[in-house]
Amino acid sequence: MANFDTAHVKNIVLLGHAGSGKTTLAECMLFEAGLITRRGSVEERNTVGDFYELERERGNSIFSKLLHTQWRGYKINIIDTPGYDDFVGEVVSALRVADTGVMLLNASFGVEVGTDLIWEYTEKFKTPMIFAVNKLDQDKADFDRTVAEAKEHFGRNVVVVQYPTNQGLEFDSIVDVLRMVMYKFPAEGGKPQKLEIPEEEREKADRLHKELIEAIAENDEGLMEKYFDKGELDEDEMKIGLKKAMINHDLFPVFCISAKKNMGSGRLMGFIDNVCPSANEMPPQTTVAGDKLVCDANGQACIFIYKTISEPHIGETSYFKVYSGTVKPGMELINATNGVTEKIHQLFIVEGERRNSTNELVAGDIGATIKLKHTHVNNTLHSRGKNLELQPIEFPTPLMTVCVEPTQKGDEEKLSIALHQVMEEDPTVKVEVSQELRQTLLHCQGELHLAVIKWKLEHIAKNLHVKFG
């Protein structure tokens, strides 16, 4: 794979209520870029993203996944996240390292409960956001209602960049009011025709184009002056203004897609490349000491661990973002939390369950490594020099408590080891040994979370079976 500099790496996180189509969109993006030759589907249980046995059994995402694609000279790192509230920890850790969020809205249901919950975290992180109204090919799709609900929930800064001309079962056309062109897709999806906006759509397109320009100009004095002088902004000026407003969390552009029909993903990726910020365009990170860390490939090496998973025959795989410098195999980095020196043996670019070795990762990129013996989620590793410990992720507190014990006497130590591994992988899980109750208490997010924890425990330890009370 080609090496990309910091400016040509984009990090996005796919967000949304369960069933909004995140994994299907990720599959489209990989297919459109030519990284896969056939699109899998959630129904057929063969997507790149949902590769865990439990996910394929249930037909939905449970864990966040790191994927990547390439589009017109850019690398796009994609973190696909689950939509159920019980797995909010996966969403929070992904938001910590993403530079743009893509919030999918189901055109048939509008803004759902999970959307509101996730939005609270995007506000906390001030993540630049795109709304993608998905499933416009469904019979009950209602784009206008969905946008109205988004404005009601998230404010007037939600601005339409695209709208559908024939939503529903025959959906195949989108009007883009940034480029002022209509995209018409073939029945099988993919690359659309670029057409003149039809006369019957011209008035609506002109009105939304003007609303978009005014929203952009309102957030930039220089562009406001140009708009007053010319009465218009060209496409490049609008892109510059949109990027600035997105970084400031002031505007949230709305796009149209049908992930299932593979319509609209290419245009969305083009917008991610051309408008969404790279890590070096985002505000600098603040260290625990209060210093600012600029995202510069020539700076002191600094990475932040946002996720770990344990794999049979491999051990722990640590997922991280490079916040400064350039990381290469063989480097020795200091863990800012415990002072231990860790050697980076291998670096990987991740594609779901597949890992491809790479010779370096630059500031702004996301990847993985293995065999970090003393490093955990929320740890910062940096080269020798100034301590660069980054602010940790604040995970949500547990909402549910149960006692846990093995069904077979003598398996207590086996259970203890398995519980420790679960906590390593999922910081929203807490375990407490109550001397008063003489029980091991497990704290988690809810019933679905508990079911996944049970599955994990029984898969981590051979012949271990547990019960909750």
Side-chain angles (χ1 to χ4, degrees), residues 5-11 74 98-100 126 128 239-249 271-285 293-297 321 323 363-364:
D5 62 24
T6 298
H8 287 81
V9 176
K10 304 294 174 108
N11 301 309
Y74 286 81
D99 299 308
T100 299
K126 295 299 179 188
K239 286 178 180 177
I240 291 168
L242 267 173
K243 175 179 284 192
K244 182 177 179 181
M246 288 178 68
I247 291 171
N248 292 333
H249 210 60
F271 185 84
I272 290 167
D273 287 351
N274 296 324
V275 179
C276 294
S278 302
N280 62 340
E281 296 173 305
M282 292 291 288
Q285 290 288 304
L293 178 65
V294 176
C295 183
D296 180 359
K321 181 175 182 179
Y323 277 100

Side-chain angles (χ1 to χ4, degrees), residues 36 43 46 67 78 85 138 152 155 270 298 348 380 403:
I36 57 175
E43 293 77 16
N46 60 353
L67 313 163
I78 305 164
D85 297 356
Q138 299 295 304
E152 181 183 341
N298 296 313
F348 299 104
T380 304
C403 68

